[in-house]
Amino acid sequence: MSHWFVHVVAIKQQMIQATLETIYMTGVTSLIAGFLGLATGLLLVVTQNGGISQDRIFYVVLDKIVNLLRSVPFIILLAVISPLTSFLLGTTAALIPLIAGIFPFYARQIQNALHEIDPGVIEAAQAMGTSHLAIIFRVYLREGLADVIRVSVLTIISLIGLTTMAGAVGGGGLGDIAINIGYARFQNDVTIICMVILLTLVFLIQFIGDKLAEHFVRF
């Protein structure tokens, strides 16, 4: 190890800290952006044409906002939001653009996932006099749970890529180590190990997500 990865060994503590920062950014952003994205996706579904609480004006406005936020490249978003986060440091500062960058993507994924639910199930619930709130929890989220898990996994994996990009411009994490140390100083072993750690995180999240989705499909 010390022979093949001499530079990694030399910054072992920095590597550990960077890994923890990446996990922290991914975890906290997933929770906050997950809540915002799920709420926004549900609002899009229930207020769209034919939805259980159809509202054309509200849907059009919200749909345009989601499209606008999704259209902004993340690297540009980092630059635009930087004045807002200038008083923060490191991973804490990176959370704001990460949340702003990922939640509209997740909202659209949630909307697409819930479109897969059989309309007949929703109509049956409405015929029984089920309230809108009950339909959201008992039909949309229960019937679409497996698909929601799948799009959540996809979003978290995409988020890991964004944390790397944020790290490359000073946000901390493995992206910071890989670019500012591994790439800038021609320390290829550092870059390779950062890549391996990131791939391990991706495979682990994908494995857990697949198992959960399979479980709830059977359930």
Side-chain angles (χ1 to χ4, degrees):
M1 180 71 177
S2 60
H3 175 70
W4 293 103
F5 301 99
V6 59
H7 299 110
V8 174
V9 173
I11 60 167
K12 180 175 64 175
Q13 291 304 318
Q14 284 181 265
M15 291 291 295
I16 295 173
Q17 180 64 28
T19 302
L20 293 176
E21 287 176 353
T22 295
I23 294 172
Y24 170 78
M25 286 191 287
T26 304
V28 174
T29 303
S30 295
L31 290 175
I32 299 174
F35 174 78
L36 293 174
L38 181 61
T40 303
L42 283 168
L43 284 173
L44 287 169
V45 169
V46 301
T47 59
Q48 67 187 359
N49 185 33
I52 61 174
S53 185
Q54 181 177 324
D55 188 327
R56 184 178 180 276
I57 295 176
F58 181 88
Y59 174 81
V60 168
V61 171
L62 185 58
D63 183 67
K64 297 302 181 184
I65 292 173
V66 171
N67 284 340
L68 177 64
L69 291 174
R70 285 189 63 200
S71 300
V72 180
F74 183 68
I75 193 69
I76 302 299
L77 190 63
L78 283 171
V80 170
I81 299 181
S82 61
L84 179 64
T85 60
S86 60
F87 64 95
L88 299 174
L89 298 173
T91 57
T92 304
L95 291 178
I96 296 176
L98 284 171
I99 292 168
I102 203 68
F103 101 82
F105 172 80
Y106 185 52
R108 192 64 76 191
Q109 294 297 318
I110 289 293
Q111 182 186 19
N112 293 336
L114 297 182
H115 274 160
E116 299 300 318
I117 297 174
D118 184 359
V121 177
I122 300 171
E123 293 171 2
Q126 289 178 301
M128 295 172 61
T130 307
S131 68
H132 291 170
L133 189 61
I135 290 175
I136 289 173
F137 284 98
R138 297 177 185 175
V139 179
Y140 280 121
L141 294 182
R142 178 178 293 179
E143 295 294 326
L145 184 55
D147 287 328
V148 168
I149 291 172
R150 292 190 184 98
V151 300
S152 298
V153 170
L154 173 64
T155 303
I156 293 173
I157 291 173
S158 299
L159 176 59
I160 291 176
L162 296 187
T163 64
T164 306
M165 193 182 301
V169 295
L174 291 168
D176 188 6
I177 297 291
I179 299 299
N180 296 321
I181 295 180
Y183 177 77
R185 301 178 186 177
F186 303 99
Q187 297 177 2
N188 294 329
D189 56 327
V190 173
T191 305
I192 291 171
I193 290 300
C194 287
M195 181 185 67
V196 169
I197 295 173
L198 289 168
L199 288 175
T200 301
L201 290 175
V202 168
F203 290 147
L204 182 60
I205 291 168
Q206 186 70 64
F207 176 79
I208 294 173
D210 288 344
K211 291 299 181 182
L212 285 173
E214 290 174 7
H215 171 74
F216 285 108
V217 164
R218 293 194 299 268
F219 181 79

